[in-house]
PDB file of all heavy atoms in Angstrom:
ATOM      1  N   GLN X  16     132.002  25.571  69.867  1.00 65.00           N
ATOM      2  CA  GLN X  16     131.094  25.717  71.010  1.00 65.00           C
ATOM      3  C   GLN X  16     130.589  27.099  71.099  1.00 65.00           C
ATOM      4  O   GLN X  16     131.320  27.995  71.132  1.00 65.00           O
ATOM      5  CB  GLN X  16     131.846  25.390  72.284  1.00 65.00           C
ATOM      6  CG  GLN X  16     132.010  23.885  72.621  1.00 65.00           C
ATOM      7  CD  GLN X  16     130.648  23.141  72.751  1.00 65.00           C
ATOM      8  OE1 GLN X  16     130.162  22.653  71.735  1.00 65.00           O
ATOM      9  NE2 GLN X  16     130.076  23.167  73.875  1.00 65.00           N
ATOM     10  N   ILE X  17     129.295  27.170  70.995  1.00 66.00           N
ATOM     11  CA  ILE X  17     128.630  28.476  71.071  1.00 66.00           C
ATOM     12  C   ILE X  17     127.926  28.572  72.364  1.00 66.00           C
ATOM     13  O   ILE X  17     127.349  27.630  72.853  1.00 66.00           O
ATOM     14  CB  ILE X  17     127.656  28.664  69.893  1.00 66.00           C
ATOM     15  CG1 ILE X  17     127.471  30.102  69.563  1.00 66.00           C
ATOM     16  CG2 ILE X  17     126.295  28.135  70.143  1.00 66.00           C
ATOM     17  CD1 ILE X  17     128.511  30.657  68.698  1.00 66.00           C
ATOM     18  N   GLN X  18     128.042  29.693  73.033  1.00 69.00           N
ATOM     19  CA  GLN X  18     127.383  29.929  74.279  1.00 69.00           C
ATOM     20  C   GLN X  18     125.919  30.371  74.063  1.00 69.00           C
ATOM     21  O   GLN X  18     125.698  31.198  73.137  1.00 69.00           O
ATOM     22  CB  GLN X  18     128.133  30.930  75.134  1.00 69.00           C
ATOM     23  CG  GLN X  18     129.495  30.530  75.595  1.00 69.00           C
ATOM     24  CD  GLN X  18     129.495  29.294  76.449  1.00 69.00           C
ATOM     25  OE1 GLN X  18     128.596  29.166  77.206  1.00 69.00           O
ATOM     26  NE2 GLN X  18     130.482  28.402  76.293  1.00 69.00           N
ATOM     27  N   PRO X  19     124.984  29.986  74.864  1.00 68.00           N
ATOM     28  CA  PRO X  19     123.676  30.470  74.692  1.00 68.00           C
ATOM     29  C   PRO X  19     123.650  32.002  74.919  1.00 68.00           C
ATOM     30  O   PRO X  19     124.495  32.532  75.632  1.00 68.00           O
ATOM     31  CB  PRO X  19     122.850  29.763  75.808  1.00 68.00           C
ATOM     32  CG  PRO X  19     123.627  28.608  76.214  1.00 68.00           C
ATOM     33  CD  PRO X  19     125.115  28.957  75.911  1.00 68.00           C
ATOM     34  N   PRO X  20     122.685  32.691  74.320  1.00 67.00           N
ATOM     35  CA  PRO X  20     122.634  34.132  74.569  1.00 67.00           C
ATOM     36  C   PRO X  20     122.411  34.419  76.011  1.00 67.00           C
ATOM     37  O   PRO X  20     121.792  33.653  76.732  1.00 67.00           O
ATOM     38  CB  PRO X  20     121.448  34.554  73.663  1.00 67.00           C
ATOM     39  CG  PRO X  20     120.786  33.343  73.297  1.00 67.00           C
ATOM     40  CD  PRO X  20     121.624  32.169  73.466  1.00 67.00           C
ATOM     41  N   VAL X  21     122.915  35.547  76.445  1.00 69.00           N
ATOM     42  CA  VAL X  21     122.778  36.052  77.813  1.00 69.00           C
ATOM     43  C   VAL X  21     121.298  36.369  78.017  1.00 69.00           C
ATOM     44  O   VAL X  21     120.679  37.068  77.212  1.00 69.00           O
ATOM     45  CB  VAL X  21     123.681  37.251  78.057  1.00 69.00           C
ATOM     46  CG1 VAL X  21     123.440  37.751  79.499  1.00 69.00           C
ATOM     47  CG2 VAL X  21     125.103  36.879  77.808  1.00 69.00           C
ATOM     48  N   LEU X  22     120.777  35.886  79.103  1.00 66.00           N
ATOM     49  CA  LEU X  22     119.390  36.179  79.466  1.00 66.00           C
ATOM     50  C   LEU X  22     119.345  37.566  80.052  1.00 66.00           C
ATOM     51  O   LEU X  22     119.767  37.797  81.192  1.00 66.00           O
ATOM     52  CB  LEU X  22     118.817  35.181  80.497  1.00 66.00           C
ATOM     53  CG  LEU X  22     118.240  33.933  79.870  1.00 66.00           C
ATOM     54  CD1 LEU X  22     117.743  33.014  80.969  1.00 66.00           C
ATOM     55  CD2 LEU X  22     117.069  34.218  78.918  1.00 66.00           C
ATOM     56  N   GLN X  23     118.883  38.540  79.331  1.00 67.00           N
ATOM     57  CA  GLN X  23     118.692  39.835  79.822  1.00 67.00           C
ATOM     58  C   GLN X  23     117.347  40.363  79.237  1.00 67.00           C
ATOM     59  O   GLN X  23     116.927  39.981  78.224  1.00 67.00           O
ATOM     60  CB  GLN X  23     119.779  40.765  79.394  1.00 67.00           C
ATOM     61  CG  GLN X  23     119.982  40.898  77.864  1.00 67.00           C
ATOM     62  CD  GLN X  23     121.207  41.745  77.490  1.00 67.00           C
ATOM     63  OE1 GLN X  23     122.095  41.876  78.353  1.00 67.00           O
ATOM     64  NE2 GLN X  23     121.183  42.271  76.351  1.00 67.00           N
ATOM     65  N   SER X  24     116.691  41.171  80.059  1.00 71.00           N
ATOM     66  CA  SER X  24     115.417  41.646  79.594  1.00 71.00           C
ATOM     67  C   SER X  24     115.595  42.664  78.501  1.00 71.00           C
ATOM     68  O   SER X  24     116.452  43.535  78.489  1.00 71.00           O
ATOM     69  CB  SER X  24     114.718  42.340  80.755  1.00 71.00           C
ATOM     70  OG  SER X  24     114.289  41.404  81.704  1.00 71.00           O
ATOM     71  N   HIS X  25     114.808  42.453  77.370  1.00 70.00           N
ATOM     72  CA  HIS X  25     114.795  43.321  76.246  1.00 70.00           C
ATOM     73  C   HIS X  25     113.666  44.288  76.407  1.00 70.00           C
ATOM     74  O   HIS X  25     112.624  43.953  76.996  1.00 70.00           O
ATOM     75  CB  HIS X  25     114.601  42.575  74.963  1.00 70.00           C
ATOM     76  CG  HIS X  25     115.763  41.748  74.604  1.00 70.00           C
ATOM     77  ND1 HIS X  25     116.901  42.220  74.025  1.00 70.00           N
ATOM     78  CD2 HIS X  25     116.000  40.386  74.622  1.00 70.00           C
ATOM     79  CE1 HIS X  25     117.743  41.304  73.782  1.00 70.00           C
ATOM     80  NE2 HIS X  25     117.213  40.084  74.155  1.00 70.00           N
ATOM     81  N   TRP X  26     113.823  45.434  75.847  1.00 74.00           N
ATOM     82  CA  TRP X  26     112.668  46.316  75.767  1.00 74.00           C
ATOM     83  C   TRP X  26     111.624  45.824  74.853  1.00 74.00           C
ATOM     84  O   TRP X  26     110.518  46.178  74.888  1.00 74.00           O
ATOM     85  CB  TRP X  26     113.121  47.750  75.433  1.00 74.00           C
ATOM     86  CG  TRP X  26     113.862  47.762  74.156  1.00 74.00           C
ATOM     87  CD1 TRP X  26     115.213  47.618  73.961  1.00 74.00           C
ATOM     88  CD2 TRP X  26     113.301  47.923  72.830  1.00 74.00           C
ATOM     89  NE1 TRP X  26     115.500  47.693  72.597  1.00 74.00           N
ATOM     90  CE2 TRP X  26     114.307  47.841  71.865  1.00 74.00           C
ATOM     91  CE3 TRP X  26     111.977  48.089  72.359  1.00 74.00           C
ATOM     92  CZ2 TRP X  26     114.090  47.916  70.536  1.00 74.00           C
ATOM     93  CZ3 TRP X  26     111.762  48.205  71.011  1.00 74.00           C
ATOM     94  CH2 TRP X  26     112.818  48.122  70.105  1.00 74.00           C
ATOM     95  N   ASN X  27     112.114  44.971  73.914  1.00 77.00           N
ATOM     96  CA  ASN X  27     111.265  44.382  72.900  1.00 77.00           C
ATOM     97  C   ASN X  27     110.789  43.038  73.430  1.00 77.00           C
ATOM     98  O   ASN X  27     111.481  42.089  73.589  1.00 77.00           O
ATOM     99  CB  ASN X  27     112.050  44.173  71.657  1.00 77.00           C
ATOM    100  CG  ASN X  27     111.235  43.658  70.474  1.00 77.00           C
ATOM    101  OD1 ASN X  27     110.268  42.947  70.679  1.00 77.00           O
ATOM    102  ND2 ASN X  27     111.602  44.024  69.248  1.00 77.00           N
ATOM    103  N   ARG X  28     109.468  42.935  73.768  1.00 82.00           N
ATOM    104  CA  ARG X  28     108.889  41.727  74.402  1.00 82.00           C
ATOM    105  C   ARG X  28     109.093  40.495  73.549  1.00 82.00           C
ATOM    106  O   ARG X  28     109.390  39.420  74.061  1.00 82.00           O
ATOM    107  CB  ARG X  28     107.423  41.975  74.634  1.00 82.00           C
ATOM    108  CG  ARG X  28     106.753  40.814  75.384  1.00 82.00           C
ATOM    109  CD  ARG X  28     105.243  41.075  75.663  1.00 82.00           C
ATOM    110  NE  ARG X  28     104.630  39.998  76.322  1.00 82.00           N
ATOM    111  CZ  ARG X  28     104.019  39.022  75.666  1.00 82.00           C
ATOM    112  NH1 ARG X  28     103.972  39.051  74.339  1.00 82.00           N
ATOM    113  NH2 ARG X  28     103.449  38.017  76.329  1.00 82.00           N
ATOM    114  N   GLU X  29     108.907  40.569  72.270  1.00 84.00           N
ATOM    115  CA  GLU X  29     109.061  39.431  71.378  1.00 84.00           C
ATOM    116  C   GLU X  29     110.488  38.967  71.313  1.00 84.00           C
ATOM    117  O   GLU X  29     110.715  37.747  71.401  1.00 84.00           O
ATOM    118  CB  GLU X  29     108.587  39.759  69.920  1.00 84.00           C
ATOM    119  CG  GLU X  29     107.090  39.951  69.807  1.00 84.00           C
ATOM    120  CD  GLU X  29     106.591  41.339  70.273  1.00 84.00           C
ATOM    121  OE1 GLU X  29     107.428  42.230  70.472  1.00 84.00           O
ATOM    122  OE2 GLU X  29     105.351  41.452  70.368  1.00 84.00           O
ATOM    123  N   ALA X  30     111.428  39.828  71.335  1.00 82.00           N
ATOM    124  CA  ALA X  30     112.813  39.424  71.369  1.00 82.00           C
ATOM    125  C   ALA X  30     113.146  38.779  72.734  1.00 82.00           C
ATOM    126  O   ALA X  30     113.901  37.823  72.760  1.00 82.00           O
ATOM    127  CB  ALA X  30     113.714  40.683  71.163  1.00 82.00           C
ATOM    128  N   ASP X  31     112.605  39.229  73.789  1.00 83.00           N
ATOM    129  CA  ASP X  31     112.813  38.676  75.090  1.00 83.00           C
ATOM    130  C   ASP X  31     112.286  37.260  75.149  1.00 83.00           C
ATOM    131  O   ASP X  31     112.909  36.330  75.605  1.00 83.00           O
ATOM    132  CB  ASP X  31     112.107  39.581  76.091  1.00 83.00           C
ATOM    133  CG  ASP X  31     112.530  39.237  77.586  1.00 83.00           C
ATOM    134  OD1 ASP X  31     113.690  38.928  77.791  1.00 83.00           O
ATOM    135  OD2 ASP X  31     111.615  39.219  78.449  1.00 83.00           O
ATOM    136  N   LEU X  32     111.014  37.044  74.730  1.00 85.00           N
ATOM    137  CA  LEU X  32     110.468  35.709  74.639  1.00 85.00           C
ATOM    138  C   LEU X  32     111.284  34.757  73.764  1.00 85.00           C
ATOM    139  O   LEU X  32     111.509  33.610  74.117  1.00 85.00           O
ATOM    140  CB  LEU X  32     109.013  35.771  74.197  1.00 85.00           C
ATOM    141  CG  LEU X  32     108.024  36.438  75.136  1.00 85.00           C
ATOM    142  CD1 LEU X  32     106.622  36.657  74.444  1.00 85.00           C
ATOM    143  CD2 LEU X  32     107.882  35.695  76.463  1.00 85.00           C
ATOM    144  N   LEU X  33     111.706  35.256  72.592  1.00 85.00           N
ATOM    145  CA  LEU X  33     112.445  34.442  71.693  1.00 85.00           C
ATOM    146  C   LEU X  33     113.794  34.055  72.287  1.00 85.00           C
ATOM    147  O   LEU X  33     114.273  32.971  72.187  1.00 85.00           O
ATOM    148  CB  LEU X  33     112.631  35.171  70.363  1.00 85.00           C
ATOM    149  CG  LEU X  33     113.280  34.367  69.221  1.00 85.00           C
ATOM    150  CD1 LEU X  33     112.453  33.046  68.950  1.00 85.00           C
ATOM    151  CD2 LEU X  33     113.439  35.202  67.930  1.00 85.00           C
ATOM    152  N   THR X  34     114.494  35.029  72.969  1.00 84.00           N
ATOM    153  CA  THR X  34     115.761  34.712  73.603  1.00 84.00           C
ATOM    154  C   THR X  34     115.563  33.650  74.669  1.00 84.00           C
ATOM    155  O   THR X  34     116.396  32.727  74.725  1.00 84.00           O
ATOM    156  CB  THR X  34     116.333  36.028  74.302  1.00 84.00           C
ATOM    157  OG1 THR X  34     116.479  36.997  73.217  1.00 84.00           O
ATOM    158  CG2 THR X  34     117.655  35.767  74.954  1.00 84.00           C
ATOM    159  N   LYS X  35     114.542  33.742  75.479  1.00 86.00           N
ATOM    160  CA  LYS X  35     114.336  32.747  76.521  1.00 86.00           C
ATOM    161  C   LYS X  35     114.085  31.351  75.849  1.00 86.00           C
ATOM    162  O   LYS X  35     114.604  30.340  76.369  1.00 86.00           O
ATOM    163  CB  LYS X  35     113.139  33.141  77.381  1.00 86.00           C
ATOM    164  CG  LYS X  35     113.479  34.323  78.321  1.00 86.00           C
ATOM    165  CD  LYS X  35     112.299  34.705  79.073  1.00 86.00           C
ATOM    166  CE  LYS X  35     112.616  36.012  79.924  1.00 86.00           C
ATOM    167  NZ  LYS X  35     111.433  36.507  80.634  1.00 86.00           N
ATOM    168  N   SER X  36     113.319  31.300  74.809  1.00 87.00           N
ATOM    169  CA  SER X  36     113.079  30.065  74.112  1.00 87.00           C
ATOM    170  C   SER X  36     114.336  29.463  73.554  1.00 87.00           C
ATOM    171  O   SER X  36     114.567  28.281  73.615  1.00 87.00           O
ATOM    172  CB  SER X  36     112.039  30.291  73.054  1.00 87.00           C
ATOM    173  OG  SER X  36     110.794  30.716  73.522  1.00 87.00           O
ATOM    174  N   VAL X  37     115.150  30.316  72.938  1.00 85.00           N
ATOM    175  CA  VAL X  37     116.424  29.866  72.317  1.00 85.00           C
ATOM    176  C   VAL X  37     117.313  29.263  73.450  1.00 85.00           C
ATOM    177  O   VAL X  37     117.960  28.205  73.266  1.00 85.00           O
ATOM    178  CB  VAL X  37     117.122  30.924  71.590  1.00 85.00           C
ATOM    179  CG1 VAL X  37     118.554  30.569  71.228  1.00 85.00           C
ATOM    180  CG2 VAL X  37     116.312  31.227  70.283  1.00 85.00           C
ATOM    181  N   VAL X  38     117.447  29.926  74.584  1.00 85.00           N
ATOM    182  CA  VAL X  38     118.237  29.456  75.703  1.00 85.00           C
ATOM    183  C   VAL X  38     117.793  28.120  76.190  1.00 85.00           C
ATOM    184  O   VAL X  38     118.528  27.230  76.401  1.00 85.00           O
ATOM    185  CB  VAL X  38     118.328  30.492  76.823  1.00 85.00           C
ATOM    186  CG1 VAL X  38     118.908  29.937  78.086  1.00 85.00           C
ATOM    187  CG2 VAL X  38     119.066  31.778  76.403  1.00 85.00           C
ATOM    188  N   ILE X  39     116.498  27.991  76.378  1.00 89.00           N
ATOM    189  CA  ILE X  39     115.879  26.767  76.877  1.00 89.00           C
ATOM    190  C   ILE X  39     116.133  25.622  75.919  1.00 89.00           C
ATOM    191  O   ILE X  39     116.545  24.492  76.228  1.00 89.00           O
ATOM    192  CB  ILE X  39     114.326  26.933  77.131  1.00 89.00           C
ATOM    193  CG1 ILE X  39     114.127  27.814  78.373  1.00 89.00           C
ATOM    194  CG2 ILE X  39     113.699  25.555  77.306  1.00 89.00           C
ATOM    195  CD1 ILE X  39     112.720  28.243  78.524  1.00 89.00           C
ATOM    196  N   ALA X  40     115.975  25.873  74.571  1.00 87.00           N
ATOM    197  CA  ALA X  40     116.247  24.880  73.559  1.00 87.00           C
ATOM    198  C   ALA X  40     117.689  24.452  73.519  1.00 87.00           C
ATOM    199  O   ALA X  40     118.016  23.294  73.422  1.00 87.00           O
ATOM    200  CB  ALA X  40     115.791  25.395  72.199  1.00 87.00           C
ATOM    201  N   MET X  41     118.529  25.441  73.571  1.00 86.00           N
ATOM    202  CA  MET X  41     119.996  25.129  73.575  1.00 86.00           C
ATOM    203  C   MET X  41     120.475  24.353  74.795  1.00 86.00           C
ATOM    204  O   MET X  41     121.267  23.409  74.660  1.00 86.00           O
ATOM    205  CB  MET X  41     120.835  26.409  73.379  1.00 86.00           C
ATOM    206  CG  MET X  41     120.751  27.059  72.056  1.00 86.00           C
ATOM    207  SD  MET X  41     121.611  28.626  71.934  1.00 86.00           S
ATOM    208  CE  MET X  41     123.290  28.044  71.696  1.00 86.00           C
ATOM    209  N   GLU X  42     119.939  24.627  75.910  1.00 88.00           N
ATOM    210  CA  GLU X  42     120.218  23.917  77.108  1.00 88.00           C
ATOM    211  C   GLU X  42     119.719  22.463  77.008  1.00 88.00           C
ATOM    212  O   GLU X  42     120.414  21.506  77.444  1.00 88.00           O
ATOM    213  CB  GLU X  42     119.700  24.601  78.361  1.00 88.00           C
ATOM    214  CG  GLU X  42     120.421  25.841  78.717  1.00 88.00           C
ATOM    215  CD  GLU X  42     119.765  26.659  79.822  1.00 88.00           C
ATOM    216  OE1 GLU X  42     118.628  26.373  80.243  1.00 88.00           O
ATOM    217  OE2 GLU X  42     120.415  27.655  80.300  1.00 88.00           O
ATOM    218  N   ALA X  43     118.539  22.302  76.476  1.00 91.00           N
ATOM    219  CA  ALA X  43     117.978  20.935  76.338  1.00 91.00           C
ATOM    220  C   ALA X  43     118.794  20.097  75.332  1.00 91.00           C
ATOM    221  O   ALA X  43     119.036  18.932  75.580  1.00 91.00           O
ATOM    222  CB  ALA X  43     116.531  21.009  75.821  1.00 91.00           C
ATOM    223  N   VAL X  44     119.201  20.725  74.273  1.00 88.00           N
ATOM    224  CA  VAL X  44     120.054  20.012  73.290  1.00 88.00           C
ATOM    225  C   VAL X  44     121.388  19.611  73.873  1.00 88.00           C
ATOM    226  O   VAL X  44     121.853  18.488  73.697  1.00 88.00           O
ATOM    227  CB  VAL X  44     120.263  20.881  72.008  1.00 88.00           C
ATOM    228  CG1 VAL X  44     121.297  20.309  71.115  1.00 88.00           C
ATOM    229  CG2 VAL X  44     118.962  20.975  71.253  1.00 88.00           C
ATOM    230  N   GLU X  45     122.005  20.555  74.608  1.00 87.00           N
ATOM    231  CA  GLU X  45     123.279  20.244  75.272  1.00 87.00           C
ATOM    232  C   GLU X  45     123.166  19.118  76.293  1.00 87.00           C
ATOM    233  O   GLU X  45     123.946  18.244  76.374  1.00 87.00           O
ATOM    234  CB  GLU X  45     123.855  21.482  75.893  1.00 87.00           C
ATOM    235  CG  GLU X  45     125.241  21.315  76.446  1.00 87.00           C
ATOM    236  CD  GLU X  45     126.220  21.110  75.328  1.00 87.00           C
ATOM    237  OE1 GLU X  45     126.066  21.575  74.263  1.00 87.00           O
ATOM    238  OE2 GLU X  45     127.261  20.378  75.628  1.00 87.00           O
ATOM    239  N   LYS X  46     122.116  19.116  77.083  1.00 92.00           N
ATOM    240  CA  LYS X  46     121.833  18.102  78.077  1.00 92.00           C
ATOM    241  C   LYS X  46     121.623  16.759  77.427  1.00 92.00           C
ATOM    242  O   LYS X  46     122.230  15.745  77.863  1.00 92.00           O
ATOM    243  CB  LYS X  46     120.639  18.517  78.926  1.00 92.00           C
ATOM    244  CG  LYS X  46     120.285  17.464  79.959  1.00 92.00           C
ATOM    245  CD  LYS X  46     119.011  17.894  80.730  1.00 92.00           C
ATOM    246  CE  LYS X  46     118.551  16.790  81.657  1.00 92.00           C
ATOM    247  NZ  LYS X  46     117.275  17.167  82.318  1.00 92.00           N
ATOM    248  N   ASN X  47     120.833  16.668  76.382  1.00 93.00           N
ATOM    249  CA  ASN X  47     120.582  15.479  75.715  1.00 93.00           C
ATOM    250  C   ASN X  47     121.806  14.945  75.018  1.00 93.00           C
ATOM    251  O   ASN X  47     122.064  13.750  74.972  1.00 93.00           O
ATOM    252  CB  ASN X  47     119.431  15.626  74.656  1.00 93.00           C
ATOM    253  CG  ASN X  47     118.068  15.768  75.361  1.00 93.00           C
ATOM    254  OD1 ASN X  47     117.942  15.295  76.479  1.00 93.00           O
ATOM    255  ND2 ASN X  47     117.204  16.434  74.633  1.00 93.00           N
ATOM    256  N   ASN X  48     122.656  15.853  74.514  1.00 90.00           N
ATOM    257  CA  ASN X  48     123.878  15.450  73.861  1.00 90.00           C
ATOM    258  C   ASN X  48     124.799  14.813  74.806  1.00 90.00           C
ATOM    259  O   ASN X  48     125.458  13.820  74.552  1.00 90.00           O
ATOM    260  CB  ASN X  48     124.521  16.679  73.105  1.00 90.00           C
ATOM    261  CG  ASN X  48     125.719  16.263  72.252  1.00 90.00           C
ATOM    262  OD1 ASN X  48     125.691  15.200  71.650  1.00 90.00           O
ATOM    263  ND2 ASN X  48     126.731  17.125  72.241  1.00 90.00           N
ATOM    264  N   LYS X  49     124.967  15.476  75.969  1.00 91.00           N
ATOM    265  CA  LYS X  49     125.871  14.865  77.039  1.00 91.00           C
ATOM    266  C   LYS X  49     125.331  13.516  77.437  1.00 91.00           C
ATOM    267  O   LYS X  49     126.156  12.564  77.662  1.00 91.00           O
ATOM    268  CB  LYS X  49     125.949  15.810  78.253  1.00 91.00           C
ATOM    269  CG  LYS X  49     126.744  17.056  77.962  1.00 91.00           C
ATOM    270  CD  LYS X  49     126.787  17.934  79.181  1.00 91.00           C
ATOM    271  CE  LYS X  49     127.640  19.187  78.901  1.00 91.00           C
ATOM    272  NZ  LYS X  49     127.718  20.115  80.048  1.00 91.00           N
ATOM    273  N   LYS X  50     124.052  13.356  77.609  1.00 94.00           N
ATOM    274  CA  LYS X  50     123.518  12.092  77.960  1.00 94.00           C
ATOM    275  C   LYS X  50     123.764  10.987  76.916  1.00 94.00           C
ATOM    276  O   LYS X  50     124.120   9.874  77.276  1.00 94.00           O
ATOM    277  CB  LYS X  50     121.958  12.193  78.211  1.00 94.00           C
ATOM    278  CG  LYS X  50     121.324  10.948  78.713  1.00 94.00           C
ATOM    279  CD  LYS X  50     119.874  11.185  78.912  1.00 94.00           C
ATOM    280  CE  LYS X  50     119.231   9.848  79.363  1.00 94.00           C
ATOM    281  NZ  LYS X  50     117.793   9.970  79.573  1.00 94.00           N
ATOM    282  N   LEU X  51     123.629  11.366  75.692  1.00 93.00           N
ATOM    283  CA  LEU X  51     123.885  10.375  74.590  1.00 93.00           C
ATOM    284  C   LEU X  51     125.340   9.975  74.536  1.00 93.00           C
ATOM    285  O   LEU X  51     125.683   8.838  74.292  1.00 93.00           O
ATOM    286  CB  LEU X  51     123.411  10.967  73.242  1.00 93.00           C
ATOM    287  CG  LEU X  51     121.924  11.010  73.025  1.00 93.00           C
ATOM    288  CD1 LEU X  51     121.641  11.847  71.743  1.00 93.00           C
ATOM    289  CD2 LEU X  51     121.347   9.654  72.945  1.00 93.00           C
ATOM    290  N   VAL X  52     126.216  10.942  74.696  1.00 91.00           N
ATOM    291  CA  VAL X  52     127.662  10.613  74.739  1.00 91.00           C
ATOM    292  C   VAL X  52     128.020   9.660  75.913  1.00 91.00           C
ATOM    293  O   VAL X  52     128.764   8.771  75.690  1.00 91.00           O
ATOM    294  CB  VAL X  52     128.522  11.947  74.756  1.00 91.00           C
ATOM    295  CG1 VAL X  52     129.939  11.670  75.049  1.00 91.00           C
ATOM    296  CG2 VAL X  52     128.409  12.729  73.491  1.00 91.00           C
TER     297      VAL X  52
END
């Protein structure tokens, strides 16, 4: 079990946007997985 990255503001805008996207994607996958189970 891997925890999504902590949402914290980066000084690097691209890294910040990518982190938010990864968190959203991981939460969606986890939600869908729980629903399928």
Side-chain angles (χ1 to χ4, degrees):
Q16 278 300 94
I17 206 83
Q18 296 296 326
V21 177
L22 274 178
Q23 60 185 21
S24 291
H25 290 284
W26 57 270
N27 185 329
R28 182 177 179 270
E29 289 80 11
D31 192 38
L32 292 172
L33 187 58
T34 301
K35 289 176 183 175
S36 297
V37 167
V38 168
I39 290 168
M41 289 177 78
E42 288 172 351
V44 167
E45 187 65 31
K46 179 182 172 185
N47 289 336
N48 189 36
K49 286 180 182 180
K50 183 179 177 182
L51 287 172
V52 167

